[in-house]
Amino acid sequence: MKPHRSAIASHRGGAFLWPENGLAAFRATAALALDQAECDVHASSDGEAIVIHDATLDRTTDGSGPVVAQSAADLTRLRLKGGAGERVPRLSEMLAICRDSPVAPRIEIKEGADGRPYPGLVGRVLGDLDRAGLRQRSWVIGFDAPTMAEVAAAGGLAGVAWLLERKTWLSLGLTGTIAVARAYRFPEVGVHESLLDAEGCAALRDAGIGISVWGANHEGSIRRMLGLGVDLLATDDPPLAIALRG
C-alpha cells in the first residue's frame, strides 16, 4: 500500500537556513510549499506569548537568564544571535505572517526552566490565535499532557498533538502511549524520528492516532519518514523535505 502524503512543517521556522524562531525564517517559509510553520512559545513576566525555544535567553539571544523573568517589551528588544539585528518576536508577530499565507501555524507550548507549565499561557496563545483569525487553521503541540488536554478542551483548532521525550516513549511503550493518548483523546502524538519504525507507525494508525515527527533534517531521515507515511514531519531544512516529497 502506498503511504499517504506527509505534511511538512518548518521546524523553528527552518533552523538550518535562518536564525531559529525569527521572523525572517517565518517570512521565508511562509512562501514555500509547506503545510505548517512550527514555533515555540514561552511566557514573559507579564504573560505574553514569546517565540523562543529555550526557557532561558542565553543560547539564541544577546540576553541572559530566564525568559519569564523579563517583560514582553524588554524581551522584544533583545536580538537574535546571527540574525543581523533581528528581534525576539511575539507570537502575534509570527501569526501576522501566517495570516497572509496558506502555511498554517504549529505552536509548541513550552514549560518553564523548572519544568512546570506557565499559568495562563494556554489562554494567551488561544487569544492570539483568535485575534489573528487563525484558530481553526492552527495546531497546538506540547510535551505536557495536562496542558495539551486543556488546549484540546478549549476546542476550535485544526488539531492538538502530544509530544513524547525519548524516555517517556521508551518507558510507556506503544501500549502505554496509545492508552494515554486515548485517555486524553489526543488525535496525534509526536516523537523524534529516530524512535519511530514501521511497527510503531502501524500500531498508532491502527489505534486511530496520528503520528508526527521532528528531527528529520537530512536526506536519509526525511526519506525514511516519508516512506513510513507519517502524518507530519517537522524539519530544519524545509526546501530539502519539499524536494524529496516531490
Side-chain angles (χ1 to χ4, degrees), residues 38-227:
E38 187 257 7
C39 72
D40 308 278
V41 296
H42 288 269
S44 64
S45 63
D46 45 353
E48 285 205 43
I50 303 297
V51 177
I52 186 169
H53 180 270
D54 298 357
T56 54
L57 298 162
D58 306 69
R59 181 178 66 85
T60 59
T61 81
D62 61 0
S64 63
V67 175
V68 75
Q70 298 194 37
S71 69
D74 287 338
L75 289 166
T76 54
R77 281 193 283 266
L78 298 175
R79 305 295 178 178
L80 296 177
K81 290 180 178 177
E86 191 176 4
R87 300 179 298 105
V88 174
R90 291 174 164 90
L91 177 60
S92 58
E93 294 175 286
M94 182 268 193
L95 296 178
I97 294 169
C98 293
R99 192 169 53 220
D100 298 321
S101 163
V103 178
R106 185 176 183 87
I107 302 159
E108 181 178 339
I109 296 181
K110 307 293 276 188
E111 288 77 54
D114 59 1
R116 296 179 180 177
Y118 296 102
L121 184 54
V122 167
R124 186 69 199 211
V125 168
L126 295 175
D128 283 351
L129 286 171
D130 287 341
R131 282 184 285 276
L134 287 171
R135 185 156 170 164
Q136 291 184 319
R137 287 178 51 202
S138 300
W139 279 74
V140 174
I141 65 176
F143 288 95
D144 185 69
T147 298
M148 290 305 99
E150 181 186 350
V151 172
L157 292 155
V160 176
W162 172 46
L163 309 182
L164 289 85
E165 297 278 13
R166 178 182 296 268
K167 62 184 179 183
T168 310
W169 173 260
L170 295 177
S171 64
L172 284 175
L174 275 171
T175 303
T177 298
I178 289 167
V180 173
R182 279 179 165 165
Y184 281 110
R185 298 182 180 177
F186 294 139
E188 183 178 290
V189 298
V191 296
H192 191 274
E193 61 83 17
S194 62
L195 297 173
L196 190 67
D197 56 19
E199 178 192 3
C201 215
L204 288 162
R205 189 147 287 134
D206 287 347
I209 298 166
I211 180 72
S212 57
V213 296
W214 72 92
N217 297 327
H218 302 91
E219 182 173 355
S221 58
I222 293 169
R223 285 193 185 279
R224 193 172 77 86
M225 292 302 104
L226 292 174

